[in-house]
Each structure stands twice: as structure tokens, then as C-alpha cells.
Amino acid sequence: MANKEASVAELTELFRNSTAVLLTEYRGLTVAQLKELRTSIREDASYAVVKNTLTKIAANEAGISSFDDELAGPSAIAFVHGDPVAVAKGLRDFSKANPQLVIKGGYFDGNPLTAAEVTKLAELESREVLLGKLAGAFKASLFGAAYMFNAPLAQAVRTVDALRDKQESAS
């Protein structure tokens, strides 16, 4: 009984401290395959095989009720502490190579996610790529503004040069 209470408390903390939680079913995967999966997402998440009943209690204590129907069969959860997109991509890529891994759903930013939404999350570009695109957009905007401010000045210089040339040719 004490072990179960400690497990529930630990899982509740993991739910509360995670930026996202992704639920999977690992039926048919070997220990070596699970180790490979853990290694591939270790930088951004911890992946744990969980007991359904204890997980349901812990999730409800953390305010997450969306897993109640999904917790059936051998379940494992990726508790994300880094980039949720990277973890979703890692799970998606691993499930393509190992179809026994089934992504059942998730919880991100206060909202439950379906398996299809987790797949859409995995299709997003990485944080670094999005930041690079944002920086490029800022640079383009600044270049455009600088061009716009310089354009009237350049046009004025060309007009003065044209007037000078006209006066010199008239004289």
C-alpha cells in the first residue's frame, strides 16, 4: 500500500512538472527496443512504463482526466521536460520503424491531444528552425524599412542631379 501511494505521488509530480505528456502502448516491443526509444528521446523527455490504475489516479490528482479511457493494455508515458515537438517526432519516427508502438494520445498546454493531434505536433518544424525563420522575417522587415527610408533620399539626389545636368546643358 505504501509503495502504491509513493508511486502515485511520484507520477502526480511527473504530470505536474511536465510541459507535455504523451501516452503510448508498447505491446510487442522488446526491452532492447524500449531502451532504444528511451535513448532517442532522453534529451527532452523521460519514458516510463506505467501501471494503468495508478496512472489514472495520479493523472486525476494532477487535473488530467483525458487519459481515463485511454489507459488500457500495456501503457507507457513520455513525460516531456524539453521540446514537445522533438519528443513527438521521436515517438512518430520510432513507431514508423516499430509498428508495435502505438501513440494513443497526449496532454499539452492544458489540453488533451488525440493520436492524430500528436502526429500533427510531430510534423511541426523544430524550435530552432522556427526561430531561424522568425529571425529571417525580422531581417527582411528591417531591410524593407531601411530601403523605404532611403528611397526618397535617393530619388531626391537623382532629381537634383537631373536638374543640374539640365541647367548645365542649357548654359
Side-chain angles (χ1 to χ4, degrees), residues 45-97:
S46 60
Y47 188 74
V49 173
V50 294
K51 291 188 179 271
N52 293 333
T53 312
L54 300 179
T55 303
K56 186 184 283 190
I57 294 168
N60 286 329
E61 285 183 13
I64 301 171
S65 61
S66 59
F67 289 154
D68 289 354
D69 297 334
E70 300 291 334
L71 288 167
S75 300
I77 296 181
F79 294 100
V80 181
H81 51 76
D83 184 10
V85 174
V87 176
K89 282 182 184 193
L91 291 173
R92 180 202 58 197
D93 294 345
F94 188 85
S95 70
K96 282 183 181 177

mmCIF file of all heavy atoms in Angstrom, residues 45-97:
data_model
loop_
_atom_site.group_PDB
_atom_site.id
_atom_site.type_symbol
_atom_site.label_atom_id
_atom_site.label_comp_id
_atom_site.label_asym_id
_atom_site.label_seq_id
_atom_site.Cartn_x
_atom_site.Cartn_y
_atom_site.Cartn_z
ATOM 1 N N ALA A 45 12.738 14.199 -22.744
ATOM 2 C CA ALA A 45 11.665 13.523 -22.021
ATOM 3 C C ALA A 45 12.184 12.293 -21.289
ATOM 4 O O ALA A 45 13.240 11.757 -21.610
ATOM 5 C CB ALA A 45 10.560 13.104 -22.991
ATOM 6 N N SER A 46 11.390 11.868 -20.317
ATOM 7 C CA SER A 46 11.641 10.565 -19.690
ATOM 8 C C SER A 46 10.478 9.667 -20.093
ATOM 9 O O SER A 46 9.330 10.097 -20.148
ATOM 10 C CB SER A 46 11.735 10.701 -18.169
ATOM 11 O OG SER A 46 10.533 11.217 -17.637
ATOM 12 N N TYR A 47 10.797 8.420 -20.393
ATOM 13 C CA TYR A 47 9.799 7.473 -20.891
ATOM 14 C C TYR A 47 9.667 6.366 -19.865
ATOM 15 O O TYR A 47 10.652 5.714 -19.523
ATOM 16 C CB TYR A 47 10.253 6.923 -22.244
ATOM 17 C CG TYR A 47 9.226 6.085 -22.958
ATOM 18 C CD1 TYR A 47 8.127 6.670 -23.562
ATOM 19 C CD2 TYR A 47 9.360 4.705 -23.040
ATOM 20 C CE1 TYR A 47 7.189 5.908 -24.237
ATOM 21 C CE2 TYR A 47 8.431 3.942 -23.713
ATOM 22 C CZ TYR A 47 7.343 4.544 -24.310
ATOM 23 O OH TYR A 47 6.416 3.784 -24.966
ATOM 24 N N ALA A 48 8.456 6.172 -19.342
ATOM 25 C CA ALA A 48 8.259 5.200 -18.272
ATOM 26 C C ALA A 48 7.078 4.286 -18.565
ATOM 27 O O ALA A 48 6.024 4.741 -19.007
ATOM 28 C CB ALA A 48 8.018 5.929 -16.954
ATOM 29 N N VAL A 49 7.300 3.005 -18.317
ATOM 30 C CA VAL A 49 6.206 2.037 -18.363
ATOM 31 C C VAL A 49 5.419 2.225 -17.067
ATOM 32 O O VAL A 49 6.002 2.327 -15.991
ATOM 33 C CB VAL A 49 6.760 0.599 -18.464
ATOM 34 C CG1 VAL A 49 5.652 -0.421 -18.331
ATOM 35 C CG2 VAL A 49 7.502 0.421 -19.782
ATOM 36 N N VAL A 50 4.099 2.323 -17.177
ATOM 37 C CA VAL A 50 3.275 2.655 -16.016
ATOM 38 C C VAL A 50 2.154 1.646 -15.815
ATOM 39 O O VAL A 50 1.741 0.964 -16.746
ATOM 40 C CB VAL A 50 2.662 4.071 -16.168
ATOM 41 C CG1 VAL A 50 3.749 5.134 -16.151
ATOM 42 C CG2 VAL A 50 1.830 4.179 -17.429
ATOM 43 N N LYS A 51 1.690 1.589 -14.581
ATOM 44 C CA LYS A 51 0.508 0.784 -14.267
ATOM 45 C C LYS A 51 -0.716 1.665 -14.505
ATOM 46 O O LYS A 51 -0.776 2.797 -14.028
ATOM 47 C CB LYS A 51 0.553 0.314 -12.819
ATOM 48 C CG LYS A 51 1.644 -0.699 -12.559
ATOM 49 C CD LYS A 51 1.498 -1.268 -11.167
ATOM 50 C CE LYS A 51 2.560 -2.298 -10.889
ATOM 51 N NZ LYS A 51 2.181 -3.624 -11.266
ATOM 52 N N ASN A 52 -1.684 1.125 -15.227
ATOM 53 C CA ASN A 52 -2.835 1.921 -15.651
ATOM 54 C C ASN A 52 -3.634 2.499 -14.485
ATOM 55 O O ASN A 52 -4.003 3.676 -14.505
ATOM 56 C CB ASN A 52 -3.744 1.091 -16.555
ATOM 57 C CG ASN A 52 -3.084 0.764 -17.874
ATOM 58 O OD1 ASN A 52 -2.217 1.497 -18.338
ATOM 59 N ND2 ASN A 52 -3.476 -0.341 -18.472
ATOM 60 N N THR A 53 -3.933 1.694 -13.491
ATOM 61 C CA THR A 53 -4.759 2.150 -12.374
ATOM 62 C C THR A 53 -4.077 3.275 -11.609
ATOM 63 O O THR A 53 -4.691 4.307 -11.315
ATOM 64 C CB THR A 53 -5.056 0.986 -11.409
ATOM 65 O OG1 THR A 53 -5.494 -0.128 -12.177
ATOM 66 C CG2 THR A 53 -6.126 1.353 -10.416
ATOM 67 N N LEU A 54 -2.787 3.083 -11.300
ATOM 68 C CA LEU A 54 -2.052 4.109 -10.562
ATOM 69 C C LEU A 54 -1.889 5.375 -11.397
ATOM 70 O O LEU A 54 -1.968 6.494 -10.879
ATOM 71 C CB LEU A 54 -0.678 3.578 -10.134
ATOM 72 C CG LEU A 54 -0.680 2.341 -9.220
ATOM 73 C CD1 LEU A 54 0.740 1.926 -8.895
ATOM 74 C CD2 LEU A 54 -1.480 2.611 -7.956
ATOM 75 N N THR A 55 -1.694 5.206 -12.690
ATOM 76 C CA THR A 55 -1.542 6.357 -13.580
ATOM 77 C C THR A 55 -2.840 7.146 -13.666
ATOM 78 O O THR A 55 -2.821 8.381 -13.673
ATOM 79 C CB THR A 55 -1.103 5.894 -14.980
ATOM 80 O OG1 THR A 55 0.106 5.162 -14.852
ATOM 81 C CG2 THR A 55 -0.892 7.064 -15.905
ATOM 82 N N LYS A 56 -3.957 6.447 -13.721
ATOM 83 C CA LYS A 56 -5.249 7.127 -13.776
ATOM 84 C C LYS A 56 -5.460 7.961 -12.516
ATOM 85 O O LYS A 56 -5.880 9.128 -12.589
ATOM 86 C CB LYS A 56 -6.384 6.101 -13.912
ATOM 87 C CG LYS A 56 -7.748 6.729 -14.114
ATOM 88 C CD LYS A 56 -8.848 5.694 -14.141
ATOM 89 C CE LYS A 56 -8.881 4.969 -15.448
ATOM 90 N NZ LYS A 56 -10.079 4.112 -15.617
ATOM 91 N N ILE A 57 -5.125 7.397 -11.362
ATOM 92 C CA ILE A 57 -5.266 8.124 -10.096
ATOM 93 C C ILE A 57 -4.352 9.352 -10.089
ATOM 94 O O ILE A 57 -4.771 10.460 -9.750
ATOM 95 C CB ILE A 57 -4.952 7.196 -8.901
ATOM 96 C CG1 ILE A 57 -6.010 6.094 -8.800
ATOM 97 C CG2 ILE A 57 -4.875 7.983 -7.598
ATOM 98 C CD1 ILE A 57 -5.645 4.956 -7.850
ATOM 99 N N ALA A 58 -3.095 9.154 -10.499
ATOM 100 C CA ALA A 58 -2.126 10.251 -10.497
ATOM 101 C C ALA A 58 -2.533 11.347 -11.482
ATOM 102 O O ALA A 58 -2.423 12.540 -11.167
ATOM 103 C CB ALA A 58 -0.733 9.724 -10.838
ATOM 104 N N ALA A 59 -3.003 10.958 -12.657
ATOM 105 C CA ALA A 59 -3.420 11.944 -13.655
ATOM 106 C C ALA A 59 -4.602 12.757 -13.140
ATOM 107 O O ALA A 59 -4.638 13.981 -13.302
ATOM 108 C CB ALA A 59 -3.767 11.256 -14.970
ATOM 109 N N ASN A 60 -5.548 12.076 -12.517
ATOM 110 C CA ASN A 60 -6.710 12.785 -11.972
ATOM 111 C C ASN A 60 -6.292 13.735 -10.855
ATOM 112 O O ASN A 60 -6.827 14.837 -10.738
ATOM 113 C CB ASN A 60 -7.763 11.795 -11.482
ATOM 114 C CG ASN A 60 -8.494 11.125 -12.632
ATOM 115 O OD1 ASN A 60 -8.668 11.714 -13.692
ATOM 116 N ND2 ASN A 60 -8.909 9.893 -12.435
ATOM 117 N N GLU A 61 -5.333 13.329 -10.021
ATOM 118 C CA GLU A 61 -4.837 14.214 -8.961
ATOM 119 C C GLU A 61 -4.131 15.435 -9.552
ATOM 120 O O GLU A 61 -4.120 16.510 -8.961
ATOM 121 C CB GLU A 61 -3.892 13.466 -8.021
ATOM 122 C CG GLU A 61 -4.603 12.537 -7.063
ATOM 123 C CD GLU A 61 -3.664 11.855 -6.088
ATOM 124 O OE1 GLU A 61 -2.487 12.271 -5.966
ATOM 125 O OE2 GLU A 61 -4.119 10.901 -5.425
ATOM 126 N N ALA A 62 -3.521 15.266 -10.719
ATOM 127 C CA ALA A 62 -2.838 16.379 -11.383
ATOM 128 C C ALA A 62 -3.800 17.209 -12.235
ATOM 129 O O ALA A 62 -3.397 18.176 -12.866
ATOM 130 C CB ALA A 62 -1.706 15.849 -12.258
ATOM 131 N N GLY A 63 -5.078 16.818 -12.263
ATOM 132 C CA GLY A 63 -6.076 17.580 -13.011
ATOM 133 C C GLY A 63 -6.235 17.147 -14.457
ATOM 134 O O GLY A 63 -6.796 17.879 -15.266
ATOM 135 N N ILE A 64 -5.754 15.959 -14.795
ATOM 136 C CA ILE A 64 -5.849 15.456 -16.169
ATOM 137 C C ILE A 64 -6.788 14.256 -16.174
ATOM 138 O O ILE A 64 -6.480 13.212 -15.615
ATOM 139 C CB ILE A 64 -4.460 15.029 -16.694
ATOM 140 C CG1 ILE A 64 -3.500 16.215 -16.658
ATOM 141 C CG2 ILE A 64 -4.574 14.463 -18.097
ATOM 142 C CD1 ILE A 64 -2.065 15.849 -16.943
ATOM 143 N N SER A 65 -7.935 14.417 -16.811
ATOM 144 C CA SER A 65 -8.895 13.315 -16.861
ATOM 145 C C SER A 65 -9.025 12.724 -18.259
ATOM 146 O O SER A 65 -9.790 11.796 -18.470
ATOM 147 C CB SER A 65 -10.264 13.792 -16.362
ATOM 148 O OG SER A 65 -10.726 14.829 -17.198
ATOM 149 N N SER A 66 -8.270 13.256 -19.204
ATOM 150 C CA SER A 66 -8.414 12.813 -20.591
ATOM 151 C C SER A 66 -7.838 11.425 -20.841
ATOM 152 O O SER A 66 -8.124 10.817 -21.864
ATOM 153 C CB SER A 66 -7.748 13.814 -21.533
ATOM 154 O OG SER A 66 -6.380 13.951 -21.217
ATOM 155 N N PHE A 67 -7.019 10.907 -19.923
ATOM 156 C CA PHE A 67 -6.417 9.587 -20.112
ATOM 157 C C PHE A 67 -7.294 8.451 -19.591
ATOM 158 O O PHE A 67 -6.957 7.288 -19.781
ATOM 159 C CB PHE A 67 -5.065 9.499 -19.413
ATOM 160 C CG PHE A 67 -3.981 10.311 -20.066
ATOM 161 C CD1 PHE A 67 -2.917 10.781 -19.330
ATOM 162 C CD2 PHE A 67 -4.014 10.609 -21.419
ATOM 163 C CE1 PHE A 67 -1.913 11.527 -19.925
ATOM 164 C CE2 PHE A 67 -3.023 11.352 -22.019
ATOM 165 C CZ PHE A 67 -1.968 11.813 -21.267
ATOM 166 N N ASP A 68 -8.389 8.763 -18.935
ATOM 167 C CA ASP A 68 -9.192 7.726 -18.290
ATOM 168 C C ASP A 68 -9.591 6.606 -19.243
ATOM 169 O O ASP A 68 -9.517 5.430 -18.905
ATOM 170 C CB ASP A 68 -10.440 8.341 -17.647
ATOM 171 C CG ASP A 68 -10.102 9.181 -16.417
ATOM 172 O OD1 ASP A 68 -8.920 9.186 -16.006
ATOM 173 O OD2 ASP A 68 -11.007 9.834 -15.882
ATOM 174 N N ASP A 69 -10.002 6.961 -20.463
ATOM 175 C CA ASP A 69 -10.443 5.951 -21.430
ATOM 176 C C ASP A 69 -9.274 5.308 -22.173
ATOM 177 O O ASP A 69 -9.405 4.218 -22.708
ATOM 178 C CB ASP A 69 -11.411 6.569 -22.441
ATOM 179 C CG ASP A 69 -12.689 7.066 -21.779
ATOM 180 O OD1 ASP A 69 -13.057 6.530 -20.719
ATOM 181 O OD2 ASP A 69 -13.305 8.012 -22.323
ATOM 182 N N GLU A 70 -8.158 5.996 -22.232
ATOM 183 C CA GLU A 70 -7.007 5.520 -23.000
ATOM 184 C C GLU A 70 -6.129 4.530 -22.231
ATOM 185 O O GLU A 70 -5.334 3.821 -22.840
ATOM 186 C CB GLU A 70 -6.144 6.706 -23.438
ATOM 187 C CG GLU A 70 -6.867 7.710 -24.308
ATOM 188 C CD GLU A 70 -7.194 7.175 -25.685
ATOM 189 O OE1 GLU A 70 -6.493 6.263 -26.164
ATOM 190 O OE2 GLU A 70 -8.166 7.662 -26.283
ATOM 191 N N LEU A 71 -6.229 4.523 -20.928
ATOM 192 C CA LEU A 71 -5.354 3.671 -20.120
ATOM 193 C C LEU A 71 -5.870 2.236 -20.099
ATOM 194 O O LEU A 71 -6.577 1.822 -19.185
ATOM 195 C CB LEU A 71 -5.212 4.233 -18.697
ATOM 196 C CG LEU A 71 -4.371 5.497 -18.613
ATOM 197 C CD1 LEU A 71 -4.542 6.173 -17.262
ATOM 198 C CD2 LEU A 71 -2.910 5.171 -18.866
ATOM 199 N N ALA A 72 -5.506 1.493 -21.126
ATOM 200 C CA ALA A 72 -5.861 0.080 -21.234
ATOM 201 C C ALA A 72 -4.717 -0.612 -21.953
ATOM 202 O O ALA A 72 -4.109 -0.037 -22.858
ATOM 203 C CB ALA A 72 -7.160 -0.088 -22.005
ATOM 204 N N GLY A 73 -4.411 -1.812 -21.547
ATOM 205 C CA GLY A 73 -3.300 -2.532 -22.159
ATOM 206 C C GLY A 73 -1.975 -2.040 -21.609
ATOM 207 O O GLY A 73 -1.929 -1.204 -20.709
ATOM 208 N N PRO A 74 -0.873 -2.546 -22.146
ATOM 209 C CA PRO A 74 0.443 -2.124 -21.651
ATOM 210 C C PRO A 74 0.730 -0.673 -22.058
ATOM 211 O O PRO A 74 0.848 -0.368 -23.235
ATOM 212 C CB PRO A 74 1.416 -3.095 -22.316
ATOM 213 C CG PRO A 74 0.674 -3.657 -23.481
ATOM 214 C CD PRO A 74 -0.780 -3.577 -23.177
ATOM 215 N N SER A 75 0.783 0.200 -21.071
ATOM 216 C CA SER A 75 0.930 1.629 -21.328
ATOM 217 C C SER A 75 2.287 2.146 -20.878
ATOM 218 O O SER A 75 2.836 1.687 -19.883
ATOM 219 C CB SER A 75 -0.159 2.419 -20.593
ATOM 220 O OG SER A 75 -1.437 2.029 -21.023
ATOM 221 N N ALA A 76 2.772 3.117 -21.608
ATOM 222 C CA ALA A 76 3.993 3.827 -21.244
ATOM 223 C C ALA A 76 3.771 5.293 -21.578
ATOM 224 O O ALA A 76 3.042 5.628 -22.515
ATOM 225 C CB ALA A 76 5.195 3.282 -22.000
ATOM 226 N N ILE A 77 4.411 6.156 -20.792
ATOM 227 C CA ILE A 77 4.194 7.592 -20.955
ATOM 228 C C ILE A 77 5.529 8.298 -21.124
ATOM 229 O O ILE A 77 6.488 8.015 -20.409
ATOM 230 C CB ILE A 77 3.441 8.177 -19.743
ATOM 231 C CG1 ILE A 77 2.051 7.567 -19.643
ATOM 232 C CG2 ILE A 77 3.351 9.691 -19.833
ATOM 233 C CD1 ILE A 77 1.220 8.085 -18.492
ATOM 234 N N ALA A 78 5.549 9.238 -22.063
ATOM 235 C CA ALA A 78 6.702 10.130 -22.229
ATOM 236 C C ALA A 78 6.357 11.426 -21.497
ATOM 237 O O ALA A 78 5.442 12.146 -21.889
ATOM 238 C CB ALA A 78 6.969 10.403 -23.699
ATOM 239 N N PHE A 79 7.073 11.675 -20.391
ATOM 240 C CA PHE A 79 6.905 12.911 -19.630
ATOM 241 C C PHE A 79 7.898 13.920 -20.201
ATOM 242 O O PHE A 79 9.104 13.801 -20.002
ATOM 243 C CB PHE A 79 7.163 12.678 -18.144
ATOM 244 C CG PHE A 79 6.141 11.773 -17.492
ATOM 245 C CD1 PHE A 79 6.418 10.443 -17.269
ATOM 246 C CD2 PHE A 79 4.904 12.272 -17.108
ATOM 247 C CE1 PHE A 79 5.485 9.611 -16.664
ATOM 248 C CE2 PHE A 79 3.962 11.451 -16.509
ATOM 249 C CZ PHE A 79 4.249 10.115 -16.289
ATOM 250 N N VAL A 80 7.399 14.916 -20.907
ATOM 251 C CA VAL A 80 8.248 15.862 -21.638
ATOM 252 C C VAL A 80 8.680 16.990 -20.715
ATOM 253 O O VAL A 80 7.859 17.648 -20.091
ATOM 254 C CB VAL A 80 7.498 16.434 -22.852
ATOM 255 C CG1 VAL A 80 8.385 17.386 -23.629
ATOM 256 C CG2 VAL A 80 6.987 15.317 -23.741
ATOM 257 N N HIS A 81 9.984 17.202 -20.649
ATOM 258 C CA HIS A 81 10.527 18.326 -19.884
ATOM 259 C C HIS A 81 11.285 19.286 -20.791
ATOM 260 O O HIS A 81 11.804 20.300 -20.339
ATOM 261 C CB HIS A 81 11.442 17.831 -18.762
ATOM 262 C CG HIS A 81 12.495 16.876 -19.221
ATOM 263 N ND1 HIS A 81 13.619 17.264 -19.901
ATOM 264 C CD2 HIS A 81 12.570 15.531 -19.113
ATOM 265 C CE1 HIS A 81 14.351 16.211 -20.181
ATOM 266 N NE2 HIS A 81 13.737 15.136 -19.727
ATOM 267 N N GLY A 82 11.328 18.981 -22.085
ATOM 268 C CA GLY A 82 12.008 19.827 -23.066
ATOM 269 C C GLY A 82 11.059 20.214 -24.183
ATOM 270 O O GLY A 82 9.946 20.659 -23.939
ATOM 271 N N ASP A 83 11.499 19.985 -25.407
ATOM 272 C CA ASP A 83 10.728 20.354 -26.598
ATOM 273 C C ASP A 83 9.698 19.271 -26.929
ATOM 274 O O ASP A 83 10.062 18.160 -27.324
ATOM 275 C CB ASP A 83 11.687 20.558 -27.770
ATOM 276 C CG ASP A 83 11.005 21.041 -29.034
ATOM 277 O OD1 ASP A 83 9.813 21.402 -28.970
ATOM 278 O OD2 ASP A 83 11.666 21.065 -30.086
ATOM 279 N N PRO A 84 8.394 19.567 -26.792
ATOM 280 C CA PRO A 84 7.364 18.568 -27.092
ATOM 281 C C PRO A 84 7.373 18.114 -28.552
ATOM 282 O O PRO A 84 7.060 16.970 -28.842
ATOM 283 C CB PRO A 84 6.047 19.273 -26.764
ATOM 284 C CG PRO A 84 6.401 20.458 -25.965
ATOM 285 C CD PRO A 84 7.811 20.805 -26.291
ATOM 286 N N VAL A 85 7.735 19.009 -29.464
ATOM 287 C CA VAL A 85 7.763 18.662 -30.884
ATOM 288 C C VAL A 85 8.841 17.606 -31.139
ATOM 289 O O VAL A 85 8.614 16.631 -31.864
ATOM 290 C CB VAL A 85 7.993 19.909 -31.752
ATOM 291 C CG1 VAL A 85 8.180 19.538 -33.208
ATOM 292 C CG2 VAL A 85 6.833 20.882 -31.601
ATOM 293 N N ALA A 86 9.991 17.768 -30.522
ATOM 294 C CA ALA A 86 11.085 16.805 -30.706
ATOM 295 C C ALA A 86 10.687 15.425 -30.177
ATOM 296 O O ALA A 86 10.988 14.402 -30.802
ATOM 297 C CB ALA A 86 12.344 17.300 -30.013
ATOM 298 N N VAL A 87 10.000 15.397 -29.050
ATOM 299 C CA VAL A 87 9.571 14.113 -28.476
ATOM 300 C C VAL A 87 8.506 13.468 -29.359
ATOM 301 O O VAL A 87 8.555 12.261 -29.627
ATOM 302 C CB VAL A 87 9.061 14.294 -27.031
ATOM 303 C CG1 VAL A 87 8.536 12.993 -26.471
ATOM 304 C CG2 VAL A 87 10.172 14.844 -26.147
ATOM 305 N N ALA A 88 7.551 14.270 -29.820
ATOM 306 C CA ALA A 88 6.509 13.737 -30.706
ATOM 307 C C ALA A 88 7.135 13.179 -31.981
ATOM 308 O O ALA A 88 6.734 12.110 -32.463
ATOM 309 C CB ALA A 88 5.487 14.819 -31.035
ATOM 310 N N LYS A 89 8.147 13.880 -32.523
ATOM 311 C CA LYS A 89 8.843 13.382 -33.709
ATOM 312 C C LYS A 89 9.568 12.080 -33.400
ATOM 313 O O LYS A 89 9.548 11.146 -34.210
ATOM 314 C CB LYS A 89 9.856 14.416 -34.214
ATOM 315 C CG LYS A 89 9.245 15.539 -34.967
ATOM 316 C CD LYS A 89 10.289 16.486 -35.487
ATOM 317 C CE LYS A 89 9.586 17.654 -36.148
ATOM 318 N NZ LYS A 89 10.445 18.476 -36.926
ATOM 319 N N GLY A 90 10.217 12.018 -32.245
ATOM 320 C CA GLY A 90 10.932 10.805 -31.860
ATOM 321 C C GLY A 90 9.992 9.612 -31.748
ATOM 322 O O GLY A 90 10.298 8.524 -32.235
ATOM 323 N N LEU A 91 8.846 9.820 -31.112
ATOM 324 C CA LEU A 91 7.866 8.739 -30.987
ATOM 325 C C LEU A 91 7.299 8.344 -32.341
ATOM 326 O O LEU A 91 7.152 7.158 -32.650
ATOM 327 C CB LEU A 91 6.736 9.149 -30.037
ATOM 328 C CG LEU A 91 7.098 9.282 -28.567
ATOM 329 C CD1 LEU A 91 5.922 9.854 -27.780
ATOM 330 C CD2 LEU A 91 7.528 7.951 -27.981
ATOM 331 N N ARG A 92 6.991 9.342 -33.166
ATOM 332 C CA ARG A 92 6.448 9.052 -34.503
ATOM 333 C C ARG A 92 7.447 8.259 -35.339
ATOM 334 O O ARG A 92 7.095 7.253 -35.962
ATOM 335 C CB ARG A 92 6.083 10.350 -35.215
ATOM 336 C CG ARG A 92 5.518 10.103 -36.613
ATOM 337 C CD ARG A 92 5.633 11.281 -37.526
ATOM 338 N NE ARG A 92 7.032 11.686 -37.665
ATOM 339 C CZ ARG A 92 7.408 12.860 -38.127
ATOM 340 N NH1 ARG A 92 6.531 13.760 -38.470
ATOM 341 N NH2 ARG A 92 8.687 13.161 -38.235
ATOM 342 N N ASP A 93 8.696 8.704 -35.347
ATOM 343 C CA ASP A 93 9.722 8.022 -36.141
ATOM 344 C C ASP A 93 9.954 6.603 -35.632
ATOM 345 O O ASP A 93 10.099 5.672 -36.430
ATOM 346 C CB ASP A 93 11.029 8.823 -36.120
ATOM 347 C CG ASP A 93 10.888 10.165 -36.825
ATOM 348 O OD1 ASP A 93 9.892 10.361 -37.557
ATOM 349 O OD2 ASP A 93 11.767 11.023 -36.614
ATOM 350 N N PHE A 94 9.967 6.442 -34.311
ATOM 351 C CA PHE A 94 10.167 5.112 -33.749
ATOM 352 C C PHE A 94 8.983 4.203 -34.087
ATOM 353 O O PHE A 94 9.167 3.028 -34.401
ATOM 354 C CB PHE A 94 10.358 5.185 -32.225
ATOM 355 C CG PHE A 94 10.762 3.883 -31.612
ATOM 356 C CD1 PHE A 94 12.093 3.511 -31.573
ATOM 357 C CD2 PHE A 94 9.815 3.011 -31.092
ATOM 358 C CE1 PHE A 94 12.478 2.300 -31.024
ATOM 359 C CE2 PHE A 94 10.184 1.801 -30.541
ATOM 360 C CZ PHE A 94 11.524 1.443 -30.506
ATOM 361 N N SER A 95 7.771 4.762 -34.046
ATOM 362 C CA SER A 95 6.595 3.930 -34.354
ATOM 363 C C SER A 95 6.530 3.560 -35.833
ATOM 364 O O SER A 95 5.964 2.527 -36.189
ATOM 365 C CB SER A 95 5.303 4.624 -33.916
ATOM 366 O OG SER A 95 5.026 5.727 -34.730
ATOM 367 N N LYS A 96 7.139 4.383 -36.709
ATOM 368 C CA LYS A 96 7.210 4.008 -38.128
ATOM 369 C C LYS A 96 8.129 2.813 -38.311
ATOM 370 O O LYS A 96 7.841 1.906 -39.091
ATOM 371 C CB LYS A 96 7.722 5.186 -38.970
ATOM 372 C CG LYS A 96 6.679 6.239 -39.234
ATOM 373 C CD LYS A 96 7.240 7.332 -40.123
ATOM 374 C CE LYS A 96 6.206 8.402 -40.383
ATOM 375 N NZ LYS A 96 6.745 9.513 -41.181
ATOM 376 N N ALA A 97 9.238 2.806 -37.576
ATOM 377 C CA ALA A 97 10.192 1.697 -37.679
ATOM 378 C C ALA A 97 9.716 0.485 -36.894
ATOM 379 O O ALA A 97 10.057 -0.651 -37.238
ATOM 380 C CB ALA A 97 11.564 2.138 -37.173
#
